[in-house]
Amino acid sequence: MSEKATLTIDGKSYELEVSTGSENEKCFDIQKLRTESGFITMDPGFGNTGSCYSDITYVDGANGILRYRGYPIEEIAEKASFVEICSLLIYGELPNAEILDKFRKALAEHASLHTNLEQHFKGFPPSSPPMAILSAMLNLVSCFHPDVLEVYSEGHGFDRTAALLLSKVRTIAAYSYRMSVGKPFNRPNPHLDYCANFLHMMFSEPYREYERNEVIEKALSLFLILHADHEQNCSTSTVRAVASSRANLFSSISSGVCALWGPLHGGANIGVINMLEDIKTSGRPIDYYLDKAKDKNNDYRLMGFGHRVYKNFDPRSRILKNRLDEVLKELNKKDPLLDIALELEEKTLKDDYFVSRNLYPNVDFYSGILLRAIGIPLDMYTVMFAIGRMPGWIANWRELHDQRLRISRPRQIYTGPQERSFTPVEER
Ligand code: ACO
């Protein structure tokens, strides 16, 4: 017998189907509620609203658990490569050696940009925000590869399109950096793997062979893995909403990039470094910043703290924090911002304001320090997040199409004026 929830409105009862997820999460289904009762539900920010059934990523915010396709993030972070995780998220299973090799070859094959697409970089002022460039250029790719407009599922070029996107996003990101610093583009090197190739395109100097650094490549791979998916967050929901109109993969993901840009979402990784730098240079005590963040009359927030879903530690932040010391040591670097970050975290853990609101460091709190250590420039941090999130966005795009979901179209409760008569301007 299936479970049901009963909703009673004005003495009339409505039975709502209850569904249970594989980790025992429960929902009741209100799809027929409006037609049957005339009522809708109200949930601004969607804190209590499920938009889909998904097999991709599981987050248990109360217990600080994150799993990609069932695999705990801690294990993945230790043992996997980013490319393997892309394959896992998009296709549902870990690839065997043959599949992985094929996937790697496809990524190498699609790394370069059409010459005319490259020309578009010249149209951007050097100071352009890299997230604006990334979003615009990803949308533009479809002009040069019109076949990507036709792809709706596997068997219709999905594999090729997904590889094309994963590969080109890296090239676009690196070229936008090269353009911003007035340096020539470094064309992709098909003999380098995903992370090494990106670092080569970012940092190789003309006539000098790219010097590989395993510590940096592994740290970059870890960063990308930790950002690879996070179920129905703001940018992924945006990708799904756009995709639900049957928009192509590139335009859907270009919208996701725009959603990620905001400081409350992916843009927080830049905000964290600016905040830590400010604490360092101002010479003010950390308590000054804590008081400012707690002040209800001030919009200031501790960047990298808090999360809609995690009401416990964000496991990604823990992994980053544990790994940071090692990476800095291996690179023979010290970062005074790490000491400030550690002190800040320690103080919040003893402060009732943060404890009572479950405000712990999120993924963005320590990720910027890792990116600094491996030489990524500050204004590229959110772009790095976007590169990492690509497989999650692609997997969600594909799942939505495979499930043939309806177009996203929330309802509202109208609170504006009631009907009134229009008066021509000369009579007003
Ligand atoms: N600093 C100080 N107070 C905070 C913070 C913060 N970083 N975050 C939340 N609060 C407080 C709010 O003022 C509110 O207090 P109140 O109950 O007294 O009014 C309470 O905690 C709940 O906050 P909400 O804004 O309702 O939480 P929500 O779930 O809507 O927002 C968010 C989550 C956006 C992440 C928020 O915590 C925030 O702005 N954090 C800083 C930005 C950030 O780090 N974003 C990255 C998130 S992770 C990611 O997107 C990859």
Side-chain angles (χ1 to χ4, degrees):
M1 204 177 65
S2 70
E3 232 183 306
K4 296 217 190 298
T6 308
L7 175 70
T8 307
I9 309 170
D10 290 339
K12 194 168 175 211
S13 293
Y14 302 90
E15 287 214 317
L16 307 167
E17 289 290 336
V18 170
S19 307
T20 307
S22 45
E23 294 292 341
N24 209 28
E25 315 131 281
K26 291 190 185 294
C27 72
F28 50 82
D29 190 324
I30 56 154
Q31 288 186 73
K32 294 189 186 136
L33 184 64
R34 192 186 61 83
T35 43
E36 289 179 357
S37 70
F39 279 77
I40 62 166
T41 54
M42 181 56 71
D43 185 18
F46 308 124
N48 274 300
T49 298
S51 62
C52 58
Y53 295 93
S54 179
D55 296 347
I56 305 169
T57 288
Y58 173 65
V59 180
D60 173 349
N63 295 305
I65 292 172
L66 168 62
R67 295 186 202 128
Y68 296 160
R69 303 276 189 188
Y71 296 99
I73 191 68
E74 293 78 5
E75 271 186 56
I76 286 176
E78 207 181 310
K79 299 178 189 160
S81 72
F82 177 60
V83 171
E84 230 177 332
I85 294 312
C86 290
S87 184
L88 170 70
L89 283 168
I90 296 170
Y91 297 108
E93 292 298 338
L94 283 172
N96 61 25
E98 191 190 332
I99 294 174
L100 187 60
D101 185 54
K102 204 171 143 203
F103 192 46
R104 286 209 164 105
K105 284 186 177 136
L107 293 176
E109 185 193 331
H110 294 298
S112 57
L113 302 185
H114 190 289
T115 335
N116 293 348
L117 184 58
E118 273 188 21
Q119 299 300 319
H120 281 268
F121 280 97
K122 289 194 181 144
F124 293 108
S127 60
S128 305
M131 285 296 271
I133 298 181
L134 184 66
S135 170
M137 293 300 282
L138 283 176
N139 220 349
L140 264 178
V141 172
S142 61
C143 306
F144 294 86
H145 300 271
D147 48 316
V148 304
L149 300 173
E150 301 302 326
V151 174
Y152 288 112
S153 64
E154 266 167 291
H156 296 276
F158 172 81
D159 294 356
R160 181 180 165 276
T161 308
L164 199 134
L165 176 53
L166 282 167
S167 191
K168 292 201 190 314
V169 68
R170 197 180 36 160
T171 314
I172 292 170
Y175 283 12
S176 71
Y177 166 66
R178 300 292 293 181
M179 181 209 73
S180 72
V181 290
K183 292 191 171 176
F185 297 150
N186 293 318
R187 298 263 143 58
N189 176 347
H191 303 295
L192 293 174
D193 64 23
Y194 196 88
C195 291
N197 207 352
F198 173 71
L199 292 164
H200 147 71
M201 286 190 274
M202 286 283 287
F203 301 123
S204 281
E205 291 305 332
Y207 312 113
R208 212 175 328 137
E209 196 166 325
Y210 169 65
E211 232 176 82
R212 294 194 64 167
N213 182 322
E214 208 186 318
V215 176
I216 293 182
E217 286 167 24
K218 274 177 82 176
L220 175 58
S221 178
L222 173 72
F223 172 91
L224 297 175
I225 287 172
L226 295 180
H227 288 78
D229 194 40
H230 211 244
E231 53 121 299
Q232 304 311 315
N233 55 81
C234 175
S235 54
T236 302
S237 304
T238 302
V239 169
R240 277 185 173 259
V242 176
S244 75
S245 74
R246 305 299 180 257
N248 72 77
L249 182 63
F250 284 78
S251 53
S252 306
I253 278 170
S254 152
S255 316
V257 170
C258 293
L260 185 71
W261 192 358
L264 297 189
H265 192 11
N269 58 12
I270 296 180
V272 170
I273 296 297
N274 286 334
M275 174 183 78
L276 296 175
E277 285 281 13
D278 186 34
I279 297 175
K280 183 174 140 239
T281 52
S282 75
R284 288 195 177 106
I286 283 181
D287 287 331
Y288 167 85
Y289 292 90
L290 295 185
D291 290 343
K292 209 159 109 169
K294 293 189 285 189
D295 181 356
K296 285 287 141 212
N297 299 314
N298 197 324
D299 283 341
Y300 182 83
R301 286 189 164 198
L302 283 193
M303 297 313 280
F305 270 79
H307 199 277
R308 172 63 62 79
V309 181
Y310 290 118
K311 299 305 168 200
N312 198 318
F313 278 89
D314 177 338
R316 302 166 299 175
S317 151
R318 272 204 169 138
I319 294 170
L320 279 167
K321 183 180 168 186
N322 292 339
R323 186 76 185 101
L324 256 175
D325 240 2
E326 244 172 272
V327 172
L328 287 170
K329 246 186 228 137
E330 283 167 339
L331 294 174
N332 206 14
K333 285 186 178 176
K334 270 194 163 37
D335 190 339
L337 296 195
L338 177 58
D339 298 330
I340 297 172
L342 292 171
E343 194 185 336
L344 190 63
E345 181 186 341
E346 205 184 310
K347 291 209 161 205
T348 58
L349 292 176
K350 293 180 191 142
D351 189 312
D352 185 57
Y353 175 93
F354 293 93
V355 174
S356 63
R357 289 171 179 75
N358 300 308
L359 300 171
Y360 297 101
N362 58 48
V363 68
D364 294 316
F365 191 61
Y366 289 108
S367 67
I369 300 178
L370 184 86
L371 291 177
R372 256 162 83 92
I374 63 176
I376 304 292
L378 183 62
D379 65 350
M380 290 290 288
Y381 286 11
T382 316
V383 167
M384 300 306 295
F385 190 150
I387 299 175
R389 188 50 58 86
M390 274 309 138
W393 287 337
I394 296 171
N396 274 277
W397 186 95
R398 176 179 178 232
E399 188 175 72
L400 175 131
H401 281 286
D402 286 352
Q403 293 176 347
R404 312 189 72 76
L405 290 190
R406 299 171 79 194
I407 190 164
S408 285
R409 200 333 186 160
R411 290 272 171 171
Q412 64 165 23
I413 295 293
Y414 174 68
T415 53
Q418 292 191 316
E419 183 175 351
R420 45 187 170 165
S421 246
F422 177 81
T423 319
V425 67
E426 53 281 5
E427 291 171 32
R428 264 178 248 157

